[in-house]
Every structure is written in structure tokens, then in C-alpha cells.
Amino acid sequence: KHAIALSNFTILGGAIANTLANLRRKHPDRDGPIIDWDLILAMEPLTIFGAVFGSLLSKILPNFVLTTMLVIILAMIGQRTLTKGWSMFREESRTLRRSAGMELEMSPRATLAEPEDIQDYMAFQSDSESAVTGPSRSGRSGPATPGSSRLCCKIGALTLCFVGTCALTLLKGGGRMASPFGFEC
């Protein structure tokens, strides 16, 4: 039981250290931070919800139901991975047969042929992928800095999600701490 709490605390410390180390780093290929805050904002609330919901289910459901659910989920993920891998293998083999002796040039970045495609791509970029133009703090018009109010709102939303999860964990009680609502964990 103590190992779970220790590992969670270690993961939290590592995540904080990585965030602080990468906070001011720039992305090597685009103008913007290396941390994609939009992706974090989309994933983390669901990850936290899944962890909290899963821990509650593990207290309520019997072990054989949890094991059965785990086996079913792993089988589904395994089948999906094998299907995807097999289709990628067939496609790559087909491409290699077509080239038959011609040297393939691998590019780390796909090129968009039409200017309309580039405009469509730019329209759907996240805030952290593209530079948002607008008046800067100095009054000049130009790219907004990564420390703009939009970034602060995203970090604030993530912080609120974290604080809410901590509050719910404290309210549910557990261990030596009794729940104020009478829940038994």
C-alpha cells in the first residue's frame, strides 16, 4: 500500500521537474513552446477522471470482474494494434514493390502542394502550434508570446482540475482519515 503512494508522489515530482525544465524551451520546427498545452488540456482531465473512477470501481467491484474487464480491454487493444500493424506492413510492402529498385526518399516532414492546403492547415492549428498575431505588450502588432493570457487560462484550467481532484480525494476519505460524507474506502 505504501508503494502506490510513493510511486504516485515520485511521478508527480518527475512531472513537475520536467514541466519546469521544458517550460521556456522552444519547439525546434515551429515558432512556439515545446509543450503543447492544448493536448495536455484535452488529455489530462480525462486521464484524471479515469484514474479516480477506476480507483472507485476497484473498491466496489470484485476482483474477478476487474480481471475480466482488464483481459477484455487488453484483448481489444491487442487486436486493434495487430490489425493496424498488419495494414501498415502491407502498405509499406506494396510501396516498396512499386518502387522496385528506385531509392525512396524519406522526409521527416510532409510537404503540402497547394497554398489552399497550407491555409486550411494553419486555420486548424492549435494555439501552441502557431504564432497568434495581435498587439503585444509593447503596443506593436506581431506574434503573441507564449506567456499570453490564453496560455495562463489553459494552465489555470489544468490547475483547477488538479485542485478539484485533490478536494474530491480528501472528501472521499480513506486510510486514517474519515470521509466527511460517511464514505468508506
Side-chain angles (χ1 to χ4, degrees):
K1 288 189 174 194
H2 297 293
I4 294 172
L6 184 60
S7 68
N8 286 341
F9 190 73
T10 304
I11 291 169
L12 174 66
I16 290 172
N18 281 328
T19 302
L20 292 176
N22 292 319
L23 195 59
R24 299 204 184 273
R25 289 184 60 198
K26 300 290 183 195
H27 195 279
D29 295 333
R30 58 179 163 78
D31 184 30
I34 199 166
I35 299 174
D36 188 355
W37 294 102
D38 291 329
L39 178 65
I40 295 171
L41 195 59
M43 288 185 63
E44 280 312 304
L46 297 174
T47 304
I48 292 171
F49 173 76
V52 171
F53 188 68
S55 70
L56 290 175
L57 280 181
S58 72
K59 298 289 184 185
I60 297 170
L61 297 175
N63 285 340
F64 76 91
V65 174
L66 293 173
T67 305
T68 304
M69 288 171 50
L70 180 62
V71 167
I72 290 170
I73 289 172
L74 288 176
M76 290 170 49
I77 291 172
Q79 187 270 335
R80 181 178 171 194
T81 303
L82 285 173
T83 303
K84 178 76 172 178
W86 185 248
S87 67
M88 288 175 66
F89 172 75
R90 286 191 314 226
E91 182 65 32
E92 289 173 1
S93 298
R94 201 174 306 132
T95 303
L96 286 173
R97 277 191 302 250
R98 280 189 210 138
S99 65
M102 294 180 1
E103 186 177 328
L104 292 178
E105 182 180 325
M106 300 299 286
S107 172
R109 175 178 262 205
T111 56
L112 299 173
E114 300 295 323
E116 300 107 27
D117 292 339
I118 294 172
Q119 290 173 352
D120 290 342
Y121 174 74
M122 293 299 285
F124 289 107
Q125 279 186 324
S126 68
D127 293 337
S128 59
E129 282 186 34
S130 64
V132 181
T133 57
S136 65
R137 290 181 188 168
S138 61
R140 293 176 296 178
S141 182
T145 61
S148 67
S149 63
R150 294 176 95 167
L151 182 60
C152 291
C153 289
K154 292 174 187 176
I155 294 173
L158 288 169
T159 304
L160 183 65
C161 183
F162 176 74
V163 168
T165 304
C166 290
L168 287 175
T169 303
L170 290 174
L171 289 175
K172 80 173 175 123
R176 294 185 185 128
M177 186 177 141
S179 170
F181 297 117
F183 298 134
E184 290 185 28
C185 291

